[in-house]
Amino acid sequence: MNLEGLEMVAVLVVLALFVKVLEQFGLFEPVSLEDSVEDEFELSTVCHRPEGLEQLQEQTKFTRKELQVLYRGFKNECPSGIVNEENFKQIYSQFFPQGDSSTYATFLFNAFDTNHDGSVSFEDFVAGLSVILRGTTDDRLNWAFNLYDLNKDGCITKEEMLDIMKSIYDMMGKYTYPALREEAPREHVESFFQKMDRNKDGVVTIEEFIESCQKDENIMRSMQLFDNVI
Amino acid sequence: MAAGVATWLPFARAAAVGWLPLAQQPLPPAPGVKASRGDEVLVVNVSGRRFETWKNTLDRYPDTLLGSSEKEFFYDADSGEYFFDRDPDMFRHVLNFYRTGRLHCPRQECIQAFDEELAFYGLVPELVGDCCLEEYRDRKKENAERLAEDEEAEQAGDGPSLPAGSSLRQQLWRAFENPHTSTAALVFYYVTGFFIAVSVIANVVETIPCRGPARRPPREQPCGERFPLAFFCMDTACVLIFTGEYLLRLFAAPSRCRFLRSVMSLIDVVAILPYYIGLLVPKNEDVSGAFVTLRVFRVFRIFKFSRHSQGLRILGYTLKSCASELGFLLFSLTMAIIIFATVMFYAEKGTNKTNFTSIPAAFWYTIVTMTTLGYGDMVPSTIAGKIFGSICSLSGVLVIALPVPVIVSNFSRIYHQNQRADKRRAQQKVRLARIRLAKSGTTNAFLQYKQNGGLEDSSRGEEQALCVRNRSAFEQQHHHLLHCLEKTTCHEFTDELTFSEALGAVSLGGRTSRSTSVSSQPVGPGSLLSSCCPRRAKRRAIRLANSTASVSHGSMQELDTLAGLQRSPAPQSRSSLNAKPHDSLDLNCDSRDFVAAIISIPTPPANTPDESQPSSPGGGGSGASSTLRNSSLGTPCLLPETVKISSL
């Protein structure tokens, strides 16, 4: 019989199907794919234990009982022993339901996370609280300066201050009285720099900051609001 | 508030150190916390089983029975424990909620009993954790359906009650939708069903050939042509009834547009239109072809049965929801048909006297082969054609047989899934709405606290409103925190209504600017310092101007509270048990400050009272305030008198 073109094609197709069927029965061994390594299920059981109670007592100015209460609350919320940025933001946002507190919470997180490892452990937490609640006025001002100085270079520029100011105003939300205007944060920053920047060089250093704050009696008077927190 | 927020409050308050150097006004003093911060262990005795927990744990959720002062009602002083006469097994779950923040649903308990316990302890069912939520909902729904069925069975015996005084239209619609409501409706229902059947049968029968009596040529005729009059009368009767029914439904429908667009009414129209068109169109040869085609549409009358049959409706719905699956099946079939038809055509091209005259002609062969019908009217004769033909039939088996079970299971899966997804979406909206409500509850609490004069100097402690005094430590501190933020930014928290009102009033401009002094800056870019304080007086003016309530005791505070309470009643929550808001309306609040505010508005509208203008503090206050207002362009908002006035 003379095989014409189409018949040849038909025969080829039949042969191809035959080969496939034989493959199924394992008589031919085509190239086997590499076994895809199953991703190990990453169990995030990183559990951080703080140092002992006595050490924390030495490092911070809290009493034993206060540390116990603090730790119980902390451990209940974060059983793994550390807080990451997302949790931090979520926790802080519960206090300001009207506005958006996520930016300010990020700044706070960076201020609490002194060793910059991306998580706040109980020691960081308690150390920060100790400075703010039990420290001297200078300590507190130092801490606040550290918060404002976003890139930790020792001086606050107008841009940094503007970021901080915007994040604070964001927390107020939309429904405020009087209505929040676009320029409000900027104006606030201007007045802040007017007050703080002694040598008018456009940045506020730590000495200028502390000096100006100590001269301002309202700020000094407001420091009392940390007296009864814990 | 959500889980464990109370734990973090000290941290949030400490973080306020960041606002301290930025605040342009002095921050308010911290509230003195009454109770000692030491933690104590509480004993809760539930029907004899003792549970012990830290007080802080229970304080985490101040909106519940155990977290608020409501538990004091259950305190047994002799034994020093809180006694509850409830199920101890269920209490375990409730207490675990306080400890972990997640409410789990016990598998072996009755869902009704669980709900009752939740209601007693003040927990909303939305708090059930995600892990147990699905099951909780399913069981609850099951329960509800079962109860509803029992109720319906009971009710059906009594006979449904028609709401008295409903119009004829509503009665008619109700009769159409539920034929079981009255006998007349039932009769109508069966009559229409009967006529639909009659019409369909007539359509079928009139095409059957019946042998006529011995005519000149004994030929067979369809019955329709033999008894045209009889069939015409029957058709007319049916169409009359259908038309009447359609018009009645149209009259009774609550929303005519929606009724006109509904599927059933379209079917009705399609069913009766051919008859009328047949009447109007004259019987000439040209259009009789089209006329005959129209008669085909009469078969759609059979779909009218779907009003009578639940099953048909369900089928229609499932087909609609499975449309994508069917569409895909059709598409893949079409692809296969085209491929095989092309191949067969070219394979058989060489043969003479072949049936495969074109590719579309080969479509018929492919379809018949793939669905394994095999009529045999077209067969390939070449070898290639036969080989491809057999491949075609084998693949046809696969292509047809495989998707059918998939579609069947898809039917049930999609049907149930659709129902569940819709419900979940609706529930999600409700959940989000409740979460938003809870959030707004917090802000409402703060706003109400402000209105009740909580922001005044706490040195005049004895005279503070009871509501202000009796807040829990947590609330005090949280409100203090929000107050600090207000002072830092020199803006206040308000609610939506006041905000939009203020915007509206400010945009109007006229009335308020007349009634306030020259120092009130326009809304445009002005210095922040001067704008924040005079605005407060302006706010009073706006409130006064807007409120229509006649002022009885002459306290602006009260006016605001009244207006505020009218507009946004704060949800009576358990945490407000700790505060008693009704006392706030009394004149416990000090009158000194808002008198100064009254005076600071030079030309108050006629509603202001004139009996509450005390002499000496008012005079002094007015002098100071007027000078202040006129000179407040340059002064920062830090002078004490301004603080006093603006602290309202």
Side-chain angles (χ1 to χ4, degrees), chain B residues 27-28 446 455 478-488:
Chain B
L27 299 180
F446 179 57
L455 299 186
H478 188 219
H479 290 165
H480 174 251
L481 185 67
L482 291 174
H483 193 203
C484 289
L485 185 59
E486 283 187 340
K487 287 278 190 251
T488 309

Side-chain angles (χ1 to χ4, degrees), chain B residues 19-37:
Chain B
W19 310 335
L20 205 83
L22 305 177
Q24 294 170 323
Q25 305 164 14
L27 299 180
V33 180
K34 317 177 291 261
S36 71
R37 292 290 303 173

Side-chain angles (χ1 to χ4, degrees), chain A residues 6 72-73 76-77 88 91 94-95 98 104 112 132 148 161 169 175-178 180 188 191 218 222-223, chain B residues 5 7-9 11 15 18 20-22 24 27 60 99 443 478 488-489 491-494 496 499 535:
Chain A
L6 211 51
R72 281 204 293 267
N76 211 17
E77 293 308 308
F88 200 87
I91 289 166
Q94 286 166 359
F95 292 101
Q98 271 196 326
Y104 188 67
F112 268 95
I132 300 173
Y148 299 148
M161 203 61 229
Y169 275 83
Y175 302 119
T176 59
Y177 183 82
L180 214 43
H188 203 154
S191 72
N218 278 308
S222 306
M223 286 282 177
Chain B
V5 160
T7 320
W8 294 104
L9 186 65
F11 153 71
L20 205 83
L22 305 177
Q24 294 170 323
L27 299 180
R60 278 198 201 125
R99 290 176 181 145
T443 25
H478 188 219
T488 309
T489 55
H491 288 67
E492 286 178 18
F493 285 111
T494 60
E496 244 182 276
F499 179 68
R535 288 270 173 80

Side-chain angles (χ1 to χ4, degrees), chain B residues 141 205 347 392 462 537 550 600 636 646:
Chain B
K141 202 180 313 155
V205 163
C392 174
E462 336 62 69
S550 61
S600 70
S646 58

Side-chain angles (χ1 to χ4, degrees), chain B residues 89 127 148 229 243 402 410 462 481 503 517 565 574 596 607:
Chain B
D89 292 326
L127 290 170
L229 197 59
T243 318
L402 274 181
N410 263 6
E462 336 62 69
L481 185 67
L503 274 186
S517 78
L565 282 184
R574 275 203 160 82
N607 280 350

Side-chain angles (χ1 to χ4, degrees), chain A residues 167-217:
Chain A
S167 69
I168 293 183
Y169 275 83
D170 281 343
M171 284 199 283
M172 292 293 294
K174 203 170 111 177
Y175 302 119
T176 59
Y177 183 82
L180 214 43
R181 292 165 303 126
E182 288 287 320
E183 318 83 43
R186 190 168 285 281
E187 287 166 5
H188 203 154
V189 170
E190 291 299 326
S191 72
F192 176 77
F193 266 78
Q194 250 183 356
K195 206 169 33 158
M196 300 281 165
D197 193 7
R198 293 293 148 135
N199 53 1
K200 309 285 173 214
D201 59 353
V203 293
V204 175
T205 62
I206 179 90
E207 296 84 19
E208 287 175 341
F209 182 72
I210 295 191
E211 208 187 309
S212 315
C213 286
Q214 282 174 340
K215 293 222 178 70
D216 187 339
E217 57 178 53

Side-chain angles (χ1 to χ4, degrees), chain B residues 530-552:
Chain B
S530 61
S531 61
C532 71
C533 302
R535 288 270 173 80
R536 289 178 194 262
K538 202 176 179 184
R539 170 167 72 118
R540 292 294 185 229
I542 293 171
R543 288 263 183 108
L544 200 53
N546 287 343
S547 72
T548 51
S550 61
V551 183
S552 52

Side-chain angles (χ1 to χ4, degrees), chain B residues 232 235-236 239 269-285 287-298 301:
Chain B
F232 182 72
D235 208 18
T236 311
V239 167
V269 165
V270 167
I272 61 183
L273 222 46
Y275 177 79
Y276 289 110
I277 295 181
L279 280 184
L280 297 172
V281 164
K283 270 197 178 19
N284 53 359
E285 290 302 317
V287 285
S288 70
F291 173 67
V292 164
T293 325
L294 266 183
R295 296 178 105 198
V296 168
F297 283 97
R298 288 188 305 173
R301 285 180 199 165

